């Protein structure tokens, strides 16, 4: 009598992400890797393994929107400094002595799609304002 091979169900790709290698069948020991689209960060395990129980070793990860570090303006600094920013985060620009941000400049905010609402304001010399 032949025993049927244990298979895991196909994992769903995360929203704003994808499976790196998709196979038609996932037998015990099969590994699936996940990646996220640009401006998104993987939360959870980046790879999962099909176990002998027919279930995956971990739940599939998800992809969360993130804004990249935009860099400091010339003659200034942004705060807070992070590798990446979550939607809703705001940036504050502090200029070096003798420089100032225009009064009408708005504070950049990280949007839900992983982009900044505004460019980082420039620091301008007091003489040019």
């Amino acid at each position: 009598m032949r025993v049927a091979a244990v298979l895991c169900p196909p994992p769903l790709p995360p929203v704003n992400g994808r499976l790196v290698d998709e196979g038609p069948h996932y037998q015990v020991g099969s590994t699936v890797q996940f990646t996220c689209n640009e401006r998104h960060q993987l939360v959870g395990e980046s790879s999962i393994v099909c176990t002998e129980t027919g279930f995956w070793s971990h739940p599939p990860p998800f992809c969360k929107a993130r804004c990249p570090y935009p860099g400091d303006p010339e003659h200034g600094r942004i705060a807070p400094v992070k590798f990446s920013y979550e939607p809703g985060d705001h940036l504050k620009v502090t200029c070096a002595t003798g420089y100032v941000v225009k009064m009408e400049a708005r504070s950049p905010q990280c949007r839900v799609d992983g982009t900044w609402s505004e460019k980082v304001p420039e620091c301008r010399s007091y003489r040019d304002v």
Side-chain angles (χ1 to χ4, degrees):
M1 176 184 244
R2 265 184 93 191
V3 177
V6 175
L7 299 174
C8 286
L12 294 175
V15 174
N16 295 307
R18 62 184 172 83
L19 301 175
V20 175
D21 295 316
E22 261 186 277
H25 303 287
Y26 300 99
Q27 297 179 343
V28 173
S30 296
T31 301
V32 174
Q33 292 184 330
F34 300 88
T35 188
C36 292
N37 298 342
E38 189 178 3
R39 297 187 310 268
H40 289 80
Q41 181 179 17
L42 196 72
V43 177
E45 298 295 323
S46 62
S47 62
I48 59 176
V49 179
C50 179
T51 67
E52 57 277 346
T53 62
F55 294 99
W56 293 100
S57 59
H58 297 87
F62 64 96
C63 296
K64 188 172 183 178
R66 297 284 189 172
C67 290
Y69 171 71
D72 289 325
E74 192 173 351
H75 307 293
R77 298 227 179 248
I78 63 164
V81 175
K82 299 190 218 177
F83 178 72
S84 64
Y85 299 81
E86 294 188 26
D89 284 352
H90 284 268
L91 296 179
K92 181 181 178 192
V93 174
T94 305
C95 296
T97 304
Y99 292 85
V100 66
V101 172
K102 282 184 170 183
M103 291 292 286
E104 65 273 7
R106 298 199 326 209
S107 173
Q109 181 179 14
C110 181
R111 295 190 279 210
V112 296
D113 67 353
T115 61
W116 290 105
S117 62
E118 317 286 333
K119 287 186 177 186
V120 173
E122 296 178 8
C123 289
R124 303 183 138 205
S125 172
Y126 281 122
R127 293 181 295 249
D128 299 337
V129 177

